């Protein structure tokens, strides 16, 4: 069973950084790809970043590429999202999610979700 809890959100000025964490209290973390999502206009949630189960490949939305870095530590059952050069438009609740199979950037392919952590970027 996968049980995800996000942390690390907060209020930051534009240009600042935050590091989000996602802990899986289950026992199968290392067998899942992990992704980060956030709400977007017209969508329930949009893809932000993802990492394969072994950390071998990473994927990013164009809007965050070069500013955000996704990583994981399977020994600690943790996934991370390092967010640099934050912009006011990055303000959102950020959700981590676990996934298996194809469609690593597709929100509909993720079966396990955390409750989210709020990120607010002031201008």
């Amino acid at each position: 069973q996968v049980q995800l809890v996000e942390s690390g959100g907060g209020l930051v000025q534009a240009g600042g950084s935050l590091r989000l964490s996602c802990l899986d209290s289950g026992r199968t973390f290392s067998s899942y790809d992990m992704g980060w999502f956030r709400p977007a206009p017209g969508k329930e949630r949009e893809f932000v970043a993802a990492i394969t189960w072994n950390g071998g490949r990473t994927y990013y939305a164009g809007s965050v590429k070069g500013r955000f870095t996704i990583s994981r530590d399977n020994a600690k059952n943790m996934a991370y999202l390092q967010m640099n050069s934050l912009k006011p438009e990055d303000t959102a609740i950020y959700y981590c999610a676990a996934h298996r199979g194809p469609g690593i950037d597709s929100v509909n392919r993720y079966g396990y979700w955390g409750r989210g952590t709020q990120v607010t970027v002031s201008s």
Side-chain angles (χ1 to χ4, degrees):
Q1 185 72 15
V2 177
Q3 296 179 311
L4 304 174
V5 178
E6 302 93 337
S7 61
L11 174 63
V12 64
Q13 288 188 331
S17 298
L18 281 174
R19 187 195 197 202
L20 306 184
S21 299
C22 175
L23 171 66
D24 175 19
S25 58
R27 301 175 66 179
T28 57
F29 177 78
S30 61
S31 66
Y32 286 85
D33 300 331
M34 296 299 296
W36 288 93
F37 295 81
R38 64 188 184 189
K43 302 179 183 179
E44 183 178 347
R45 293 173 188 177
E46 68 172 0
F47 170 75
V48 175
I51 187 167
T52 53
W53 63 275
N54 61 354
R57 298 193 72 171
T58 57
Y59 303 82
Y60 297 94
S63 60
V64 307
K65 197 168 187 178
R67 300 188 297 123
F68 291 11
T69 302
I70 189 171
S71 61
R72 68 188 297 159
D73 184 340
N74 285 348
K76 296 181 179 179
N77 281 14
M78 295 288 291
Y80 306 97
L81 186 67
Q82 178 68 43
M83 306 187 296
N84 298 329
S85 302
L86 282 161
K87 304 175 181 179
E89 52 263 44
D90 294 318
T91 294
I93 299 174
Y94 284 73
Y95 300 90
C96 74
H99 156 281
R100 280 176 171 165
I104 196 170
D105 60 349
S106 174
V107 64
N108 295 324
R109 294 288 188 172
Y110 283 76
Y112 301 97
W113 293 83
R115 293 188 175 184
T117 185
Q118 176 70 48
V119 171
T120 303
V121 184
S122 63
S123 57

